[in-house]
Amino acid sequence: MDNRPIGLFDSGVGAFSVLNKLVEVMPNENYIYFGDSGHNPYGQKTAEELQKLCSCIVDFLARKEVKAVVVACNTATVAALDYLQERYYLPIIGVINPGAKQALRLTKNKKIGVCSTVFTAKTHGYLNDINKISNDDNTIKVYEEGSVNLASIIENGFEYNEENEEIIKEFVGRFTDDIDTLILGCTHYPLVEDLFAKYFKGNIVDPGMQTAIETRDILETKNMLTDRNEGYNVKYYVTKDVENFKNVAKNLTKIDINDIHEVSIEAELNN
Ligand code: DGL
């Protein structure tokens, strides 16, 4: 039994698509959400920059005595999950492997599309994982597409207008082969899943639920689930513009966002 909180982080509001599922699967745990809005977007950074950012954030969360960390960002998962797992004793869980496994369970025609940031697409985050899980089954086809700006548009408060809808329509329209399964491979994207569903009629995979289930299973195996029974609370640390974060986030979750603090990791980053 372990009553310490679970930490999770993202470049901003994207982790709400994971937090919403974590509280559904583990409603009695407490959470610490780190939103690195000061360094958004992650999708335009290098692997080295991302590893440095992620280790500063995990250091921060470790100082807050979390019992595990969920890397609630696909870009950070590709760039830094192995790096972090080698350096910390904490259980550290990424979103790519749970999403990849779910897509493999759902696909019938073995043609999977992935919508992600440019970084995740270019580094083949999902393709590599799917190859690993399927033992390089070359009958499975994975098509990866990256968007330069969709995560930032969602980060700044997505508006349901023609222009934004067109961005998602064009994104989904890039898959010319008849994929039957589409992974939303950026944690910002499930926050507008309704629009993806409007333009893609096959299986849509939001890795958030599988990630939450896997996190629970890992904690259960290690006997690290809480024995408390009085619900959850969430504390937020944000690296820039708390008000904007709060305003955008209140449309993305039913979870209370009042316990929120602005922090800086610049000193650690320049170390
Ligand atoms: N939410 C992040 C992801 O899952 C990326 C957003 C960004 O580019 O900062 O990849």
Side-chain angles (χ1 to χ4, degrees), residues 21 98-99 101-102 105 206-215:
K21 301 299 192 303
K101 281 197 280 200
Q102 180 68 355
R105 273 192 288 270
D206 162 7
M209 181 49 95
Q210 263 327 108
T211 302
I213 292 170
E214 244 171 69
T215 303

Side-chain angles (χ1 to χ4, degrees), residues 206-247:
D206 162 7
M209 181 49 95
Q210 263 327 108
T211 302
I213 292 170
E214 244 171 69
T215 303
R216 182 198 56 204
D217 292 349
I218 288 168
L219 293 177
E220 191 166 35
T221 311
K222 295 180 180 295
N223 199 20
M224 286 171 76
L225 288 169
T226 184
D227 65 349
R228 290 168 45 258
N229 214 356
E230 62 252 23
Y232 63 84
N233 66 57
V234 186
K235 218 181 182 125
Y236 300 84
Y237 295 94
V238 175
T239 52
K240 195 181 164 188
D241 211 348
V242 169
E243 274 319 301
N244 180 59
F245 181 92
K246 232 171 131 175
N247 281 335

Side-chain angles (χ1 to χ4, degrees), residues 63-79:
R63 287 196 296 276
K64 297 285 172 205
E65 297 193 16
V66 297
K67 61 182 169 187
V69 174
V70 179
V71 183
C73 171
N74 292 263
T75 309
T77 299
V78 198

Side-chain angles (χ1 to χ4, degrees), residues 3-15:
N3 287 332
R4 291 176 298 165
I6 296 169
L8 73 160
F9 74 91
D10 175 56
S11 62
V13 298

